[in-house]
Amino acid sequence: RGKGHVLFVCSAPVSDSLPHYLASWKLLEQGEIDGFIVASNLLNHHFSIQEMVRDIIEPFRPAPVVSFGVAVPGVLSVVCDNRQGISDLVDHLVHAHGRRRRMFMKGHEGSSNGLDRLVEWRAAMDRHGLPRDAHSELKGDYNIDEARAHFAAFLDGGGTCDAVVCANDSMALGV
């Protein structure tokens, strides 16, 4: 504040309803916005990149925007290399720990980050000559409690594995 800047940090629950989520952004419309960061990696679980641009980013132009987690066309974006990360992780599990019966807990079908991680998981399994089938991939939704329930059902159904890789940290905490 001493230099004339005010930082406003808010977090809104991500909902399957875009209008519900956008109601949380109404606070931003009540004042001057010098710029903002969009956690596009979280929003992309439920909304397309086109919806984010149209309904969240464009209304605040010309304020500068940074996208965190997903590359958004025309917006400065900070992203990680999902494919290389999963590839390195699988290599480590095989070479350093000898893990051969691994299971992958997938993310939301609409999540570009989750899809990148799943595609690389499958490629890495194939590269190492490891079997993969419907039992080596579990449904996930980036939720701790749901991950716990899905993994428990997997084990209760006789599933076995010597390592679990999850599409995000919340699910890993649940497993």
Side-chain angles (χ1 to χ4, degrees):
R1 254 188 197 274
K3 298 192 184 260
H5 302 287
V6 175
L7 174 64
F8 175 69
V9 178
C10 71
S11 176
V14 176
S15 167
D16 288 330
S17 163
L18 187 57
H20 172 80
Y21 184 80
L22 291 175
S24 301
W25 286 82
K26 293 298 180 191
L27 289 172
L28 295 175
E29 294 176 350
Q30 296 177 13
E32 286 187 34
I33 302 299
D34 294 321
F36 63 101
I37 299 170
V38 176
S40 55
N41 58 326
L42 300 177
L43 293 173
N44 190 230
H45 298 170
H46 300 282
F47 313 120
S48 71
I49 291 174
Q50 293 79 12
E51 287 174 312
M52 283 190 276
V53 169
R54 181 190 69 226
D55 297 325
I56 296 172
I57 295 172
E58 286 303 324
F60 296 102
R61 295 283 193 189
V65 179
V66 174
S67 168
F68 177 79
V70 173
V72 176
V75 174
L76 179 63
S77 300
V78 179
V79 298
C80 68
D81 188 341
N82 290 302
R83 291 187 178 202
Q84 189 63 53
I86 292 293
S87 178
D88 291 347
L89 176 59
V90 171
D91 291 348
H92 177 77
L93 289 170
V94 169
H95 298 300
H97 300 287
R99 302 296 188 228
R100 309 217 30 98
R101 292 184 327 276
R102 290 159 295 157
M103 192 272 298
F104 184 78
M105 186 168 284
K106 303 183 282 189
H108 290 291
E109 290 184 20
S111 167
S112 60
N113 284 329
L115 180 60
D116 282 348
R117 293 168 186 165
L118 176 61
V119 166
E120 186 55 39
W121 162 262
R122 290 174 176 166
M125 294 287 282
D126 293 345
R127 188 175 65 249
H128 287 287
L130 298 172
R132 61 179 177 84
D133 56 25
H135 302 293
S136 64
E137 297 175 7
L138 285 181
K139 179 183 183 298
D141 62 359
Y142 301 120
N143 177 287
I144 292 172
D145 295 327
E146 292 295 320
R148 185 174 295 121
H150 288 302
F151 191 62
F154 168 77
L155 294 174
D156 290 345
T160 62
C161 61
D162 59 9
V164 179
V165 175
C166 296
N168 85 335
D169 52 350
S170 293
M171 290 188 302
L173 291 170
V175 168

